[in-house]
Amino acid sequence: MNITSFLIYCIIVTFTPGPSNIVILSSTQKIGARKTMQYVWGATLAFGLLLAASAFLNHLLAGVLPSMMKMMQIVGSLYMLYLAYQVYKMGSTTDAPKQVTGFLNGFIMQFLNPKVILFTFTVIPSYVLPYYNSSLSSFMFVMLITLIGFLAYSSWVVFGSIFRTFLNHHQKTTSILMALFLLYSAIMVSGIIS
């Protein structure tokens, strides 16, 4: 196993912007780091569960995956459009919409996030299972990748906290940009534009 390639892949996928990271940044800007961490914990738990499902049910899911992916693309795109609207509203109202933040929404978002689903269904079978086939080694890699995901989500909270004053000063513009990023993600995930 090429551990360097594995770590680079994990870091690039988890730290780069995606729907969850955009919601984290926007929520941190509006309601602060402490409340946004509830979303991060939900997203992290779901991320770990998806990794575990990939590790332990890989062969079973392989036959079903193509049909599941289209359904997940549609549901994920619709959920991202909903989040885009909620993030846009953050810039035009004084209170952040409660439905965007929180543990449950962080948890649900990961199960509807095609970026996360594709990552979790590729990282374990591509990097771990060809070299390690014990349950213990799979568990250890699931925990390692989940930790990397948590660090990625937390870095977006830190970034939002550091630049909170700037982001609040340009709240409407920031909310519009975040909503547009989510809209773009929804369009890309739906397959409308390849």
Side-chain angles (χ1 to χ4, degrees), residues 118-178:
L118 288 173
F119 172 72
T120 58
F121 286 150
T122 59
V123 69
I124 298 292
S126 299
Y127 286 97
V128 178
L129 294 181
Y131 305 100
Y132 304 96
N133 56 13
S134 75
S135 295
L136 179 61
S137 60
S138 291
F139 175 77
M140 296 304 288
F141 277 103
V142 165
M143 296 307 293
L144 173 64
I145 300 166
T146 302
L147 175 63
I148 293 169
F150 174 73
L151 294 173
Y153 303 140
S154 297
S155 72
W156 283 83
V157 172
V158 170
F159 176 78
S161 296
I162 291 170
F163 293 102
R164 187 173 185 180
T165 303
F166 174 81
L167 295 171
N168 281 334
H169 184 64
H170 302 288
Q171 183 175 344
K172 183 67 177 174
T173 303
T174 303
S175 293
I176 290 170
L177 286 173
M178 299 290 178

Side-chain angles (χ1 to χ4, degrees), residues 65-118:
L65 184 60
S67 60
M68 281 180 46
M69 283 311 299
K70 191 59 182 170
M71 181 180 67
M72 293 305 296
Q73 285 176 313
I74 293 167
V75 173
S77 295
L78 292 173
Y79 190 68
M80 282 185 246
L81 289 173
Y82 165 76
L83 287 175
Y85 174 71
Q86 294 298 321
V87 168
Y88 171 76
K89 281 183 21 179
M90 284 183 177
S92 58
T93 62
T94 56
D95 295 323
K98 301 292 186 241
Q99 53 271 49
V100 172
T101 59
F103 179 87
L104 185 59
N105 278 293
F107 187 81
I108 291 170
M109 179 62 180
Q110 295 303 66
F111 283 101
L112 300 175
N113 185 344
K115 176 185 172 187
V116 168
I117 292 169
L118 288 173

Side-chain angles (χ1 to χ4, degrees), residues 17-37:
S20 292
N21 296 343
I22 293 168
V23 170
I24 289 168
L25 179 64
S26 185
S27 296
T28 301
Q29 175 241 337
K30 188 64 181 170
I31 64 171
R34 179 173 286 185
K35 289 183 181 177
T36 301
M37 284 306 295

